[in-house]
Amino acid sequence: RPRLRAPPPAMQLDVELARRAVAALATHDRRQQAESLAPLPSPISVQITLRHGPAAPVKRPLRIPLPHSPFSPEDDSACLFVRTDDVETVRETLKRRPIDGLDKVVGMTQVRKEYERFAARKKLLAEHTLFLCDDRIATYLHNSLGQVFSGKNRKPVPLKFRSMAQMRSAVERALACAHAPLVGPLVSFKVGRADLPPQELAENVVAGARAAAEALPSALRAAVVAVHVKTPESFAIPLHGTADDATLRLFRRMAGDERAAAAEGRGGGAGKAGTKKRKGAPAAQQRQEEAHQEKKEEEEEEEMD
């Protein structure tokens, strides 16, 4: 009889720490925009690091429900690929009742004829931020779109629907979720743009990280090493990691969470014995005191020698 392994404990993320992290990223992004000729808010992404990737390829991306949709109809655009026989029906349905953000419907015949050339597929990729498809044509579609889409991890997300009512429901659910391809030891997905309220972004970060960890294959759920949040032009800010993660402890101290940083320092064995940290003291002053303490200990050791 096979032994049953206990499920891994739920990932513990601090919403307040996440809020401060995304607020810092938003401030950094505004500075970057001020220096840019075409200022646009950057997307904020969550990165989950695993000890190892999946043993076998995972065809479907992880679907990650979020409290606040990362898809903005004003800034984003979606494209839906369907069977050739369903193109006109889908277009007529959307003409009567449009779905905000779904701007294009493409059939398989159109893919083979109009998007056969590399330049045409590359242009289509640049025109939309999210691609969806009928799951019955997913394999043929991936082969037709080729490396242009798969190389950027932008393969269309398969949706299961067999009627127009199911199509509408499936598309709306997909637009309300984040999607993360699982192709290696790093899972990355967007939770929104930097100009969104920090509280909404923080809630998306915490809920998204937990949902992504739960959506992993059972063999990978206990392999989560760390969780970071970042923009394309920023450093990754740690939100979750092992007890000896010095970068995570440093960020918590800078964010003002002295009690959590001290607790992790005791648990991981970090920190000098006898170094006293005053609550609310500036980080620069604490580093100066630690350096002074280390120098004093070195002098005492030299005198003993």
Side-chain angles (χ1 to χ4, degrees), residues 138-162:
T139 302
Y140 306 103
L141 181 62
H142 294 167
N143 294 335
S144 299
L145 296 177
Q147 188 66 21
V148 177
F149 280 69
S150 60
K152 298 289 185 179
N153 285 332
R154 298 281 302 280
K155 290 182 180 180
V157 178
L159 305 179
K160 185 175 181 179
F161 59 87
R162 300 297 181 263

PDB file of all heavy atoms in Angstrom, residues 138-162:
ATOM      1  N   ALA A 138      -6.136  23.614 -30.290  1.00  0.00           N
ATOM      2  CA  ALA A 138      -4.935  24.103 -29.618  1.00  0.00           C
ATOM      3  C   ALA A 138      -3.658  23.527 -30.220  1.00  0.00           C
ATOM      4  O   ALA A 138      -2.699  24.256 -30.503  1.00  0.00           O
ATOM      5  CB  ALA A 138      -5.014  23.787 -28.127  1.00  0.00           C
ATOM      6  N   THR A 139      -3.617  22.214 -30.445  1.00  0.00           N
ATOM      7  CA  THR A 139      -2.399  21.581 -30.968  1.00  0.00           C
ATOM      8  C   THR A 139      -2.067  22.080 -32.360  1.00  0.00           C
ATOM      9  O   THR A 139      -0.911  22.443 -32.648  1.00  0.00           O
ATOM     10  CB  THR A 139      -2.560  20.053 -30.978  1.00  0.00           C
ATOM     11  OG1 THR A 139      -2.840  19.589 -29.641  1.00  0.00           O
ATOM     12  CG2 THR A 139      -1.289  19.387 -31.484  1.00  0.00           C
ATOM     13  N   TYR A 140      -3.064  22.123 -33.249  1.00  0.00           N
ATOM     14  CA  TYR A 140      -2.828  22.597 -34.621  1.00  0.00           C
ATOM     15  C   TYR A 140      -2.427  24.070 -34.621  1.00  0.00           C
ATOM     16  O   TYR A 140      -1.570  24.502 -35.393  1.00  0.00           O
ATOM     17  CB  TYR A 140      -4.087  22.392 -35.469  1.00  0.00           C
ATOM     18  CG  TYR A 140      -4.608  20.975 -35.448  1.00  0.00           C
ATOM     19  CD1 TYR A 140      -5.719  20.642 -34.684  1.00  0.00           C
ATOM     20  CD2 TYR A 140      -3.982  19.966 -36.176  1.00  0.00           C
ATOM     21  CE1 TYR A 140      -6.197  19.340 -34.640  1.00  0.00           C
ATOM     22  CE2 TYR A 140      -4.466  18.667 -36.149  1.00  0.00           C
ATOM     23  CZ  TYR A 140      -5.568  18.352 -35.383  1.00  0.00           C
ATOM     24  OH  TYR A 140      -6.032  17.064 -35.340  1.00  0.00           O
ATOM     25  N   LEU A 141      -3.034  24.849 -33.726  1.00  0.00           N
ATOM     26  CA  LEU A 141      -2.748  26.277 -33.670  1.00  0.00           C
ATOM     27  C   LEU A 141      -1.321  26.535 -33.216  1.00  0.00           C
ATOM     28  O   LEU A 141      -0.617  27.374 -33.789  1.00  0.00           O
ATOM     29  CB  LEU A 141      -3.739  26.966 -32.728  1.00  0.00           C
ATOM     30  CG  LEU A 141      -3.602  28.475 -32.572  1.00  0.00           C
ATOM     31  CD1 LEU A 141      -3.830  29.178 -33.909  1.00  0.00           C
ATOM     32  CD2 LEU A 141      -4.583  28.998 -31.533  1.00  0.00           C
ATOM     33  N   HIS A 142      -0.854  25.809 -32.204  1.00  0.00           N
ATOM     34  CA  HIS A 142       0.512  25.996 -31.708  1.00  0.00           C
ATOM     35  C   HIS A 142       1.527  25.671 -32.798  1.00  0.00           C
ATOM     36  O   HIS A 142       2.543  26.350 -32.943  1.00  0.00           O
ATOM     37  CB  HIS A 142       0.746  25.121 -30.482  1.00  0.00           C
ATOM     38  CG  HIS A 142      -0.081  25.519 -29.305  1.00  0.00           C
ATOM     39  ND1 HIS A 142      -0.221  24.722 -28.186  1.00  0.00           N
ATOM     40  CD2 HIS A 142      -0.821  26.639 -29.067  1.00  0.00           C
ATOM     41  CE1 HIS A 142      -1.007  25.333 -27.309  1.00  0.00           C
ATOM     42  NE2 HIS A 142      -1.389  26.479 -27.817  1.00  0.00           N
ATOM     43  N   ASN A 143       1.241  24.631 -33.591  1.00  0.00           N
ATOM     44  CA  ASN A 143       2.152  24.287 -34.680  1.00  0.00           C
ATOM     45  C   ASN A 143       2.151  25.363 -35.766  1.00  0.00           C
ATOM     46  O   ASN A 143       3.196  25.653 -36.356  1.00  0.00           O
ATOM     47  CB  ASN A 143       1.761  22.936 -35.289  1.00  0.00           C
ATOM     48  CG  ASN A 143       1.953  21.784 -34.312  1.00  0.00           C
ATOM     49  OD1 ASN A 143       2.765  21.878 -33.394  1.00  0.00           O
ATOM     50  ND2 ASN A 143       1.202  20.713 -34.505  1.00  0.00           N
ATOM     51  N   SER A 144       1.000  25.961 -36.021  1.00  0.00           N
ATOM     52  CA  SER A 144       0.907  26.986 -37.061  1.00  0.00           C
ATOM     53  C   SER A 144       1.557  28.296 -36.640  1.00  0.00           C
ATOM     54  O   SER A 144       2.188  28.972 -37.456  1.00  0.00           O
ATOM     55  CB  SER A 144      -0.568  27.233 -37.419  1.00  0.00           C
ATOM     56  OG  SER A 144      -1.174  26.064 -37.908  1.00  0.00           O
ATOM     57  N   LEU A 145       1.403  28.666 -35.373  1.00  0.00           N
ATOM     58  CA  LEU A 145       1.984  29.928 -34.896  1.00  0.00           C
ATOM     59  C   LEU A 145       3.493  29.828 -34.703  1.00  0.00           C
ATOM     60  O   LEU A 145       4.197  30.834 -34.797  1.00  0.00           O
ATOM     61  CB  LEU A 145       1.312  30.345 -33.586  1.00  0.00           C
ATOM     62  CG  LEU A 145      -0.186  30.665 -33.690  1.00  0.00           C
ATOM     63  CD1 LEU A 145      -0.743  30.992 -32.321  1.00  0.00           C
ATOM     64  CD2 LEU A 145      -0.441  31.808 -34.655  1.00  0.00           C
ATOM     65  N   GLY A 146       3.974  28.658 -34.386  1.00  0.00           N
ATOM     66  CA  GLY A 146       5.406  28.414 -34.366  1.00  0.00           C
ATOM     67  C   GLY A 146       6.161  29.106 -33.238  1.00  0.00           C
ATOM     68  O   GLY A 146       5.607  29.498 -32.207  1.00  0.00           O
ATOM     69  N   GLN A 147       7.458  29.289 -33.482  1.00  0.00           N
ATOM     70  CA  GLN A 147       8.376  29.811 -32.483  1.00  0.00           C
ATOM     71  C   GLN A 147       8.102  31.267 -32.134  1.00  0.00           C
ATOM     72  O   GLN A 147       8.501  31.729 -31.069  1.00  0.00           O
ATOM     73  CB  GLN A 147       9.817  29.654 -32.981  1.00  0.00           C
ATOM     74  CG  GLN A 147      10.896  29.987 -31.965  1.00  0.00           C
ATOM     75  CD  GLN A 147      10.909  29.020 -30.789  1.00  0.00           C
ATOM     76  OE1 GLN A 147      10.395  27.911 -30.895  1.00  0.00           O
ATOM     77  NE2 GLN A 147      11.492  29.443 -29.676  1.00  0.00           N
ATOM     78  N   VAL A 148       7.418  32.000 -33.009  1.00  0.00           N
ATOM     79  CA  VAL A 148       7.121  33.402 -32.734  1.00  0.00           C
ATOM     80  C   VAL A 148       6.347  33.537 -31.423  1.00  0.00           C
ATOM     81  O   VAL A 148       6.620  34.417 -30.597  1.00  0.00           O
ATOM     82  CB  VAL A 148       6.320  34.024 -33.890  1.00  0.00           C
ATOM     83  CG1 VAL A 148       5.936  35.465 -33.583  1.00  0.00           C
ATOM     84  CG2 VAL A 148       7.131  33.969 -35.176  1.00  0.00           C
ATOM     85  N   PHE A 149       5.386  32.641 -31.202  1.00  0.00           N
ATOM     86  CA  PHE A 149       4.568  32.695 -29.997  1.00  0.00           C
ATOM     87  C   PHE A 149       5.170  31.861 -28.865  1.00  0.00           C
ATOM     88  O   PHE A 149       5.239  32.319 -27.724  1.00  0.00           O
ATOM     89  CB  PHE A 149       3.149  32.195 -30.294  1.00  0.00           C
ATOM     90  CG  PHE A 149       2.273  33.234 -30.943  1.00  0.00           C
ATOM     91  CD1 PHE A 149       2.502  33.657 -32.231  1.00  0.00           C
ATOM     92  CD2 PHE A 149       1.211  33.787 -30.244  1.00  0.00           C
ATOM     93  CE1 PHE A 149       1.691  34.610 -32.832  1.00  0.00           C
ATOM     94  CE2 PHE A 149       0.396  34.740 -30.824  1.00  0.00           C
ATOM     95  CZ  PHE A 149       0.636  35.155 -32.123  1.00  0.00           C
ATOM     96  N   SER A 150       5.609  30.637 -29.167  1.00  0.00           N
ATOM     97  CA  SER A 150       6.125  29.764 -28.111  1.00  0.00           C
ATOM     98  C   SER A 150       7.431  30.289 -27.532  1.00  0.00           C
ATOM     99  O   SER A 150       7.696  30.115 -26.332  1.00  0.00           O
ATOM    100  CB  SER A 150       6.323  28.347 -28.660  1.00  0.00           C
ATOM    101  OG  SER A 150       7.254  28.349 -29.734  1.00  0.00           O
ATOM    102  N   GLY A 151       8.257  30.945 -28.342  1.00  0.00           N
ATOM    103  CA  GLY A 151       9.517  31.478 -27.845  1.00  0.00           C
ATOM    104  C   GLY A 151       9.334  32.596 -26.845  1.00  0.00           C
ATOM    105  O   GLY A 151      10.205  32.849 -26.007  1.00  0.00           O
ATOM    106  N   LYS A 152       8.205  33.304 -26.898  1.00  0.00           N
ATOM    107  CA  LYS A 152       7.894  34.383 -25.962  1.00  0.00           C
ATOM    108  C   LYS A 152       6.959  33.930 -24.842  1.00  0.00           C
ATOM    109  O   LYS A 152       6.472  34.763 -24.063  1.00  0.00           O
ATOM    110  CB  LYS A 152       7.229  35.546 -26.715  1.00  0.00           C
ATOM    111  CG  LYS A 152       8.099  36.178 -27.790  1.00  0.00           C
ATOM    112  CD  LYS A 152       9.231  36.972 -27.188  1.00  0.00           C
ATOM    113  CE  LYS A 152      10.023  37.706 -28.256  1.00  0.00           C
ATOM    114  NZ  LYS A 152      11.132  38.502 -27.687  1.00  0.00           N
ATOM    115  N   ASN A 153       6.690  32.628 -24.768  1.00  0.00           N
ATOM    116  CA  ASN A 153       5.738  32.092 -23.779  1.00  0.00           C
ATOM    117  C   ASN A 153       4.378  32.778 -23.899  1.00  0.00           C
ATOM    118  O   ASN A 153       3.735  33.105 -22.903  1.00  0.00           O
ATOM    119  CB  ASN A 153       6.273  32.250 -22.354  1.00  0.00           C
ATOM    120  CG  ASN A 153       7.375  31.252 -22.033  1.00  0.00           C
ATOM    121  OD1 ASN A 153       7.401  30.160 -22.600  1.00  0.00           O
ATOM    122  ND2 ASN A 153       8.271  31.626 -21.156  1.00  0.00           N
ATOM    123  N   ARG A 154       3.958  32.987 -25.144  1.00  0.00           N
ATOM    124  CA  ARG A 154       2.687  33.676 -25.401  1.00  0.00           C
ATOM    125  C   ARG A 154       1.711  32.763 -26.150  1.00  0.00           C
ATOM    126  O   ARG A 154       0.872  33.225 -26.913  1.00  0.00           O
ATOM    127  CB  ARG A 154       2.938  34.945 -26.224  1.00  0.00           C
ATOM    128  CG  ARG A 154       3.812  35.998 -25.557  1.00  0.00           C
ATOM    129  CD  ARG A 154       3.063  36.814 -24.558  1.00  0.00           C
ATOM    130  NE  ARG A 154       1.932  37.470 -25.168  1.00  0.00           N
ATOM    131  CZ  ARG A 154       2.020  38.599 -25.901  1.00  0.00           C
ATOM    132  NH1 ARG A 154       3.208  39.167 -26.077  1.00  0.00           N
ATOM    133  NH2 ARG A 154       0.948  39.155 -26.419  1.00  0.00           N
ATOM    134  N   LYS A 155       1.824  31.473 -25.940  1.00  0.00           N
ATOM    135  CA  LYS A 155       0.899  30.554 -26.602  1.00  0.00           C
ATOM    136  C   LYS A 155      -0.534  30.859 -26.185  1.00  0.00           C
ATOM    137  O   LYS A 155      -0.792  31.231 -25.041  1.00  0.00           O
ATOM    138  CB  LYS A 155       1.234  29.107 -26.230  1.00  0.00           C
ATOM    139  CG  LYS A 155       2.530  28.582 -26.818  1.00  0.00           C
ATOM    140  CD  LYS A 155       2.726  27.130 -26.410  1.00  0.00           C
ATOM    141  CE  LYS A 155       4.009  26.569 -26.991  1.00  0.00           C
ATOM    142  NZ  LYS A 155       4.212  25.156 -26.593  1.00  0.00           N
ATOM    143  N   PRO A 156      -1.489  30.719 -27.115  1.00  0.00           N
ATOM    144  CA  PRO A 156      -2.895  30.951 -26.742  1.00  0.00           C
ATOM    145  C   PRO A 156      -3.351  30.022 -25.617  1.00  0.00           C
ATOM    146  O   PRO A 156      -2.984  28.847 -25.570  1.00  0.00           O
ATOM    147  CB  PRO A 156      -3.645  30.659 -28.045  1.00  0.00           C
ATOM    148  CG  PRO A 156      -2.633  30.902 -29.126  1.00  0.00           C
ATOM    149  CD  PRO A 156      -1.324  30.475 -28.558  1.00  0.00           C
ATOM    150  N   VAL A 157      -4.145  30.573 -24.717  1.00  0.00           N
ATOM    151  CA  VAL A 157      -4.672  29.806 -23.580  1.00  0.00           C
ATOM    152  C   VAL A 157      -5.878  29.000 -24.044  1.00  0.00           C
ATOM    153  O   VAL A 157      -6.849  29.569 -24.551  1.00  0.00           O
ATOM    154  CB  VAL A 157      -5.084  30.757 -22.432  1.00  0.00           C
ATOM    155  CG1 VAL A 157      -5.684  29.964 -21.278  1.00  0.00           C
ATOM    156  CG2 VAL A 157      -3.884  31.581 -21.975  1.00  0.00           C
ATOM    157  N   PRO A 158      -5.859  27.672 -23.919  1.00  0.00           N
ATOM    158  CA  PRO A 158      -7.000  26.856 -24.375  1.00  0.00           C
ATOM    159  C   PRO A 158      -8.227  27.059 -23.483  1.00  0.00           C
ATOM    160  O   PRO A 158      -8.121  27.076 -22.260  1.00  0.00           O
ATOM    161  CB  PRO A 158      -6.473  25.417 -24.269  1.00  0.00           C
ATOM    162  CG  PRO A 158      -4.991  25.529 -24.100  1.00  0.00           C
ATOM    163  CD  PRO A 158      -4.747  26.838 -23.435  1.00  0.00           C
ATOM    164  N   LEU A 159      -9.390  27.215 -24.126  1.00  0.00           N
ATOM    165  CA  LEU A 159     -10.668  27.340 -23.423  1.00  0.00           C
ATOM    166  C   LEU A 159     -11.595  26.228 -23.900  1.00  0.00           C
ATOM    167  O   LEU A 159     -11.652  25.929 -25.088  1.00  0.00           O
ATOM    168  CB  LEU A 159     -11.311  28.703 -23.696  1.00  0.00           C
ATOM    169  CG  LEU A 159     -10.491  29.958 -23.390  1.00  0.00           C
ATOM    170  CD1 LEU A 159     -11.282  31.191 -23.751  1.00  0.00           C
ATOM    171  CD2 LEU A 159     -10.080  29.987 -21.925  1.00  0.00           C
ATOM    172  N   LYS A 160     -12.339  25.647 -22.967  1.00  0.00           N
ATOM    173  CA  LYS A 160     -13.290  24.607 -23.329  1.00  0.00           C
ATOM    174  C   LYS A 160     -14.691  25.186 -23.404  1.00  0.00           C
ATOM    175  O   LYS A 160     -15.245  25.629 -22.401  1.00  0.00           O
ATOM    176  CB  LYS A 160     -13.244  23.470 -22.299  1.00  0.00           C
ATOM    177  CG  LYS A 160     -14.130  22.292 -22.667  1.00  0.00           C
ATOM    178  CD  LYS A 160     -13.963  21.149 -21.675  1.00  0.00           C
ATOM    179  CE  LYS A 160     -14.829  19.954 -22.062  1.00  0.00           C
ATOM    180  NZ  LYS A 160     -14.665  18.829 -21.122  1.00  0.00           N
ATOM    181  N   PHE A 161     -15.251  25.214 -24.613  1.00  0.00           N
ATOM    182  CA  PHE A 161     -16.640  25.648 -24.795  1.00  0.00           C
ATOM    183  C   PHE A 161     -17.208  24.951 -26.018  1.00  0.00           C
ATOM    184  O   PHE A 161     -16.505  24.680 -26.987  1.00  0.00           O
ATOM    185  CB  PHE A 161     -16.739  27.172 -24.939  1.00  0.00           C
ATOM    186  CG  PHE A 161     -15.951  27.746 -26.088  1.00  0.00           C
ATOM    187  CD1 PHE A 161     -16.504  27.830 -27.362  1.00  0.00           C
ATOM    188  CD2 PHE A 161     -14.655  28.209 -25.891  1.00  0.00           C
ATOM    189  CE1 PHE A 161     -15.791  28.363 -28.416  1.00  0.00           C
ATOM    190  CE2 PHE A 161     -13.934  28.745 -26.941  1.00  0.00           C
ATOM    191  CZ  PHE A 161     -14.499  28.827 -28.213  1.00  0.00           C
ATOM    192  N   ARG A 162     -18.508  24.672 -25.957  1.00  0.00           N
ATOM    193  CA  ARG A 162     -19.195  23.986 -27.056  1.00  0.00           C
ATOM    194  C   ARG A 162     -20.439  24.742 -27.514  1.00  0.00           C
ATOM    195  O   ARG A 162     -21.183  24.269 -28.362  1.00  0.00           O
ATOM    196  CB  ARG A 162     -19.586  22.563 -26.633  1.00  0.00           C
ATOM    197  CG  ARG A 162     -18.396  21.689 -26.236  1.00  0.00           C
ATOM    198  CD  ARG A 162     -17.452  21.463 -27.400  1.00  0.00           C
ATOM    199  NE  ARG A 162     -16.328  20.608 -27.049  1.00  0.00           N
ATOM    200  CZ  ARG A 162     -15.124  21.066 -26.692  1.00  0.00           C
ATOM    201  NH1 ARG A 162     -14.908  22.384 -26.647  1.00  0.00           N
ATOM    202  NH2 ARG A 162     -14.156  20.234 -26.396  1.00  0.00           N
TER     203      ARG A 162
END
